[in-house]
Amino acid sequence: MGVMIDGQYQVADPGPDTSAQGAYERARSTLRDWITHDGPFTPDAGRYHLFVAWNCPWAHRTLLTRAVLGLQDAISISTALPRRTDQGWVFDGEPLLGVQALHEVYARQTPPYTGRITVPVLWDKQTAQIVSNESADITRMLSHAFDPKRRLVPAAQEAAIDKWNDMIHRRINNGVYRAGFARTQAAYDEAVHDLFAALDELDAHLATHTTLTGDHLSEADLRFFPTLARFDVAYHYAFKCNLARLTDYDHLWDYARALYAVPGVADTVTFDIYKAGYFSPSELRNPLGIVPAGPRVDWSPPPRRTITLPPPASSSD
């Protein structure tokens, strides 16, 4: 998918980063400014734009936050096509800047950007600069800056939410990639068994809890959901995460359907695009680029639990 070096796009794809032992290592995001009431990036409705891809789970968490907080009118979006080309993420009629590829957005950054071309990107229309390309930061700042009651990260639960976020990122969100991009049997075995051990732990936890942090939706749930939504249609097959399906877990499957039923969440889910993206041509994983017809996963059965946003915090919180 190429990289940027000193603001210039290089078509040559370096491939996923791996250790000497063949283990996948995710590159760190480097553009990490923040929206605050003190500025220079202030939370003004209509000022910011998200560049996303429907099939990217890291972009999905920002779309989920935007949806459940009702920020669709405050923050506009551009969506890349599910299959990348030699130009990386590309668009079919991008509405804001008229670009054809995401690297053209990165090329406008000052000072010149060096690094991978990733989504999501939070763009400031006022300064014509990227605020952040770190999905965790974007998710948190949307909640903190645009929701003054901080409903997704209540102050009393922030430490617990951060702990869940760390565990879920290491072992599940990134765990499926560690399995799917492993270059040795040993690296794959370690990754896939750690992934399913974590899923087993969370299934047990959700047997006695409505959500990860109690009775109401939190940021941790929104960071977990993108992996759940893709699990059976993509990761189970494309990434060899096949010790079990999501639908085999009694409590996780019920929890996933309850999250899917939260107003706004289903609008961010596109199962066919997930398959098109994860089964795109790959020399290592899918050289012919054939997208499988199945599986058929029915998300419509009503869950046993109901997940709601927490009530607004009081002025003293």
Side-chain angles (χ1 to χ4, degrees):
M1 61 179 173
V3 296
M4 297 289 286
I5 299 177
D6 293 330
Q8 300 296 315
Y9 183 67
Q10 310 293 318
V11 174
D13 186 349
D17 295 328
T18 55
S19 70
Q21 291 73 41
Y24 171 65
E25 298 178 342
R26 181 167 297 280
R28 293 183 180 274
S29 301
T30 57
L31 299 175
R32 303 184 68 172
D33 281 314
W34 205 267
I35 297 175
T36 68
H37 290 278
D38 297 330
F41 299 108
T42 53
D44 308 315
R47 177 172 174 174
Y48 300 99
H49 188 86
L50 274 169
F51 292 91
V52 297
W54 289 115
N55 52 309
C56 172
W58 315 102
H60 193 183
R61 57 173 64 167
T62 66
L63 288 169
L64 284 164
T65 305
R66 175 179 176 265
V68 301
L69 293 180
L71 299 175
Q72 293 92 330
D73 292 336
I75 301 172
S76 53
I77 63 170
S78 294
T79 57
L81 297 175
R83 288 192 169 188
R84 284 172 286 185
T85 72
D86 63 355
Q87 296 299 301
W89 292 110
V90 296
F91 302 95
D92 182 13
E94 193 283 309
L96 180 68
L97 303 177
V99 297
Q100 295 182 332
L102 186 62
H103 68 75
E104 297 173 53
V105 178
Y106 278 84
R108 302 184 183 205
Q109 191 68 9
T110 303
Y113 175 73
T114 294
R116 292 189 178 275
I117 310 301
T118 61
V119 289
V121 167
L122 183 63
W123 175 262
D124 177 25
K125 301 175 188 177
Q126 183 172 308
T127 62
Q129 290 289 285
I130 295 172
V131 180
S132 178
N133 68 345
E134 170 49 60
S135 64
D137 291 356
I138 297 170
T139 300
R140 180 65 58 93
M141 76 176 79
L142 292 186
S143 179
H144 277 31
F146 288 91
D147 178 8
K149 299 298 183 181
R150 298 176 63 181
R151 291 178 296 168
L152 295 179
V153 190
Q157 292 185 314
E158 189 162 358
I161 289 170
D162 286 342
K163 185 176 179 179
W164 279 117
N165 285 345
D166 178 67
M167 180 270 202
I168 290 166
H169 172 81
R170 288 185 296 103
R171 302 181 64 189
I172 298 176
N173 298 152
N174 199 47
V176 294
Y177 284 87
R178 290 176 56 227
F181 288 170
R183 297 294 183 93
T184 65
Q185 186 70 50
Y188 166 76
D189 289 342
E190 179 181 354
V192 78
H193 287 291
D194 185 54
L195 166 66
F196 280 94
L199 291 174
D200 290 343
E201 292 171 22
L202 284 162
D203 189 62
H205 176 78
L206 290 164
T208 56
H209 297 78
T210 304
T211 70
L212 293 177
T213 56
D215 295 325
H216 300 290
L217 184 74
S218 79
E219 181 190 87
D221 301 300
L222 296 185
R223 288 181 53 163
F224 189 15
F225 181 75
T227 303
L228 298 176
R230 290 159 177 75
F231 203 89
D232 286 4
V233 298
Y235 300 141
H236 184 85
Y237 299 93
F239 282 4
K240 305 181 186 69
C241 298
N242 54 10
L243 288 177
R245 300 166 301 174
L246 173 61
T247 53
D248 295 327
Y249 285 95
D250 184 24
H251 308 296
L252 271 176
W253 177 225
D254 182 73
Y255 162 79
R257 296 198 320 278
L259 288 172
Y260 186 72
V262 172
V265 169
D267 294 336
T268 71
V269 176
T270 51
F271 297 114
D272 288 343
I273 288 180
Y274 300 161
K275 287 198 295 183
Y278 283 98
F279 287 95
S280 59
S282 166
E283 182 179 344
L284 293 175
R285 297 185 310 280
N286 190 23
L288 297 179
I290 295 173
V291 179
R296 294 174 177 170
V297 183
D298 185 4
W299 284 71
S300 66
R304 299 185 299 272
R305 70 191 73 201
T306 299
I307 296 177
T308 60
L309 284 169
S314 66
S315 58
S316 60
D317 289 345

